[in-house]
């Protein structure tokens, strides 16, 4: 069974930065694509960023391009989301997911496992 544990969320002022981490259990972490999604109150879960198995391919949502960066360290079984120039509209619970396969995926239905989420709150 794969377990994902997010950390690094918190309260930050607009314009500030946070780095989220997602630690995965299991020995096959490096075989799979990973992604970050977020869900604000009353809204559906939305795609934020995704990275392929090697880290050589990444893709971010238009709303975060130029501000957020996804990366991974396969030796540590961890994926990161560096968030800079945060805005109040970035406020949400952020979830990491492990995909069924090794590519990049924007559709949450292509993810097999999810973490419990970490709250990010950006004050204006």
């Amino acid at each position: 069974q794969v377990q994902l544990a997010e950390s690094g969320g918190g309260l930050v002022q607009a314009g500030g930065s946070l780095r989220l981490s997602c630690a995965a259990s299991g020995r096959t972490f490096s075989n799979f694509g990973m992604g970050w999604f977020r869900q604000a109150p009353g809204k559906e879960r939305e795609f934020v960023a995704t990275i392929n198995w090697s880290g050589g391919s990444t893709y971010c949502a238009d709303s975060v391009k130029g501000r957020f960066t996804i990366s991974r360290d396969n030796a540590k079984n961890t994926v990161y989301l560096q968030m800079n120039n945060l805005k109040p509209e970035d406020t949400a619970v952020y979830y990491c997911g492990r995909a069924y396969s090794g590519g990049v995926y924007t559709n949450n239905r292509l993810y097999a496992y999810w973490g419990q989420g970490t709250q990010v709150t950006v004050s204006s």
Side-chain angles (χ1 to χ4, degrees), residues 36-101:
W36 287 97
F37 289 72
R38 66 187 181 187
Q39 188 166 17
K43 295 187 177 182
E44 293 187 352
R45 188 173 297 192
E46 68 171 355
F47 165 75
V48 176
T50 180
I51 188 166
N52 76 332
W53 66 275
S54 68
S57 181
T58 64
Y59 183 74
C60 291
D62 288 344
S63 59
V64 306
K65 277 181 182 176
R67 301 189 297 122
F68 291 13
T69 302
I70 187 171
S71 62
R72 67 190 297 162
D73 185 339
N74 286 341
K76 296 183 177 180
N77 278 17
T78 302
V79 63
Y80 305 98
L81 185 68
Q82 178 66 45
M83 306 187 294
N84 298 328
N85 190 21
L86 282 159
K87 303 177 181 181
E89 52 263 43
D90 295 319
T91 295
V93 177
Y94 283 70
Y95 298 90
C96 75
R98 198 212 78 177
Y100 286 103
S101 298

Side-chain angles (χ1 to χ4, degrees), residues 2-8 20-25 36 77-79 96 114-118:
V2 173
Q3 292 186 326
L4 304 175
E6 301 98 334
S7 61
L20 305 184
S21 298
C22 173
S25 66
W36 287 97
N77 278 17
T78 302
V79 63
C96 75
W114 295 95
Q116 82 288 350
T118 186

